[in-house]
Amino acid sequence: MKIFKTRDYYDMSRKAANIISAQIILKPDCVLGLATGSSPLGTYKQLVEWYKKEDLDFSKVSTVNLDEYRGLSPQNEQSYYYFMHKNLFSQVNIRENATFVPDGMNNDIEKACKDHEDIINRLGGIDLQLLGLGENGHIGFNEPADEFIKDTHCVQLSRSTIEANSRFFEDIKDVPTQAITMGIRTIMRADKILIIVNGSKKAKIVKEAFWGPVTPKVPASILQIHKDVTLVADEAALSQAPI
């Protein structure tokens, strides 16, 4: 695992954007696995800035998102489809038909999960997967469990995850309780993984995930055995790490 300690969120975002832009430059038709939430916002903003300066070209890039809430339409401002279009897709020259987010509105949830796996396979796999880290160690919406769930699946969100995401909703009762998420095996099949973490609230879980035992109780700990992982984290998030 490669570790980059950054000064703050801005520095973390810029470093992560550098890594993603290098992937695009080296392989213009790459497949990016993308994440949502507050952690990658600064990274996407930086990528958009470089695109507007004509330093980046997304015209051949394909993207596959990690997850989506179940029951939120693409037009809902809290859906991850909406998030991605607002913060990245609508601001760069990526092809609309080359961006894929799980279908949270499909009543046949098993088919929705299988379709997302099929899309990844059809694209030839993910070249670089971007991840954030939940305070309970989740990656995507893979919550602490007794075993690692392998493929894209529907998950019941933990109370801590619902509470963490409630800041994006008017009321915690509005937060969906289920989501579709790539499974651990799906994530681990990516050629490269980039995980970004910031803030002192994440310091304890960073230590557990990357310097503790590999266990499904801390889903992100599985990344310790991936062949090419880069952790970009600010000083606060790394404050308890033994480095």
Side-chain angles (χ1 to χ4, degrees):
M1 176 182 288
K2 298 183 285 291
I3 301 172
F4 292 97
K5 181 188 286 189
T6 65
R7 295 184 303 276
D8 51 25
Y9 177 82
Y10 173 81
D11 193 24
M12 177 201 76
S13 299
R14 188 175 178 86
K15 173 63 72 174
N18 267 317
I19 293 169
I20 295 170
S21 63
Q23 176 66 58
I24 296 170
I25 291 166
L26 290 171
K27 187 179 180 183
D29 62 345
C30 65
V31 179
L32 300 178
L34 300 180
T36 52
S38 55
S39 295
L41 272 174
T43 299
Y44 294 151
K45 182 178 179 181
Q46 183 65 74
L47 291 172
V48 169
E49 287 182 13
W50 286 335
Y51 163 73
K52 290 179 177 178
K53 292 179 180 178
E54 300 185 352
D55 292 330
L56 277 179
D57 178 13
F58 289 82
S59 64
K60 296 181 180 178
V61 172
S62 298
T63 67
V64 185
N65 263 73
L66 264 175
D67 42 33
E68 177 60 286
Y69 286 121
R70 188 177 184 192
L72 294 190
S73 73
Q75 292 74 38
N76 188 301
E77 292 185 6
Q78 301 306 329
S79 74
Y80 290 159
Y81 179 96
Y82 188 97
F83 175 100
M84 291 307 308
H85 278 261
K86 176 183 177 182
N87 294 295
L88 183 62
F89 300 156
S90 66
Q91 301 191 60
V92 298
N93 65 331
I94 195 164
R95 296 160 295 156
E96 177 73 22
N97 63 358
T99 62
F100 302 95
V101 179
D103 183 3
M105 292 298 290
N106 193 334
N107 290 327
D108 187 343
I109 201 66
E110 290 186 8
K111 183 178 187 303
C113 294
K114 182 180 184 302
D115 286 349
H116 203 57
E117 285 284 329
D118 289 345
I119 287 167
I120 296 170
N121 292 332
R122 189 176 76 240
L123 291 171
I126 295 169
D127 292 297
L128 186 151
Q129 176 67 58
L130 176 65
L131 298 173
L133 177 66
E135 289 183 35
N136 64 359
H138 73 245
I139 47 176
F141 275 128
N142 292 281
E143 301 281 10
D146 293 329
E147 61 182 7
F148 292 112
I149 300 178
K150 298 176 181 179
D151 301 317
T152 299
H153 60 285
C154 181
V155 63
Q156 191 75 28
L157 302 182
S158 71
R159 182 67 185 176
S160 64
T161 297
I162 291 171
E163 290 174 352
N165 290 347
S166 65
R167 67 188 186 276
F168 301 115
F169 293 80
E170 289 186 8
D171 191 294
I172 193 170
K173 295 178 182 178
D174 298 329
V175 184
T177 58
Q178 291 184 321
I180 297 174
T181 185
M182 287 187 199
I184 294 297
R185 179 166 60 187
T186 311
I187 293 170
M188 292 290 283
R189 282 176 174 164
D191 288 343
K192 303 174 186 176
I193 292 176
L194 168 62
I195 184 162
I196 55 176
V197 194
N198 70 287
S200 58
K201 288 184 178 180
K202 300 288 181 71
K204 182 175 182 291
I205 197 61
V206 165
K207 181 181 178 182
E208 291 178 8
F210 303 116
W211 283 272
V214 175
T215 169
K217 299 294 186 183
V218 183
S221 65
I222 193 72
L223 300 178
Q224 294 181 43
I225 64 175
H226 191 279
K227 58 183 173 57
D228 191 346
V229 174
T230 300
L231 169 63
V232 180
D234 67 4
E235 294 175 354
L238 288 170
S239 60
Q240 295 186 31
I243 57 173

